Amino acid sequence: MKQFRNRMGTFVVTAALVMGGVAPVVLAQTAGQDVKDAGHDTKDAAKDTGHGIAKGTKAVAHGTKKGTTKAYDGTKDAAKDTGHDVAKGTKKVVHKSANATAKTADKAADKTQTPQ
């Protein structure tokens, strides 16, 4: 019985030493893997952020281009309409002026004729 206790005691001590020696190694591997995983997670988050910023920037640039084109087209059409209106108005004024000048010339011609 004494031998059994001796062997059992030795087994318990040996088991404790083995477990005590293995545990720090397992913990060290786990901690190292945790750090590595955290680094990968950080990298992935940075990539996702970069992709989001790029997508948002493209959307804003597209919207700005679309708005600028729309404003340009509207301004161009308004300028064209204004040009037509100015030409039409100028033509009307010129014709009225020409008619008034012709009437005045006719009146003046009637008064300047020498009696016969």
Side-chain angles (χ1 to χ4, degrees):
M1 179 92 149
K2 196 173 187 185
Q3 284 181 332
F4 178 74
R5 281 188 200 169
N6 249 354
R7 287 185 185 172
M8 188 63 161
T10 306
F11 175 75
V12 171
V13 172
T14 305
L17 288 174
V18 168
M19 292 304 288
V22 171
V25 172
V26 170
L27 290 176
Q29 286 177 346
T30 303
Q33 189 61 45
D34 288 347
V35 171
K36 191 182 279 189
D37 290 344
H40 287 295
D41 291 344
T42 303
K43 177 182 158 187
D44 292 341
K47 277 185 182 180
D48 290 345
T49 302
H51 288 264
I53 290 171
K55 186 175 180 181
T57 302
K58 286 178 185 177
V60 169
H62 178 71
T64 302
K65 180 181 176 184
K66 187 175 180 180
T68 302
T69 301
K70 188 173 182 179
Y72 167 78
D73 289 341
T75 303
K76 182 177 76 171
D77 292 342
K80 188 185 280 187
D81 291 345
T82 302
H84 289 303
D85 291 344
V86 168
K88 188 175 180 181
T90 302
K91 190 175 183 180
K92 201 176 202 181
V93 169
V94 168
H95 284 305
K96 282 186 179 183
S97 180
N99 287 338
T101 302
K103 285 181 184 179
T104 304
D106 289 343
K107 285 182 187 178
D110 290 340
K111 292 182 181 180
T112 56
Q113 287 183 356
T114 45
Q116 292 183 16

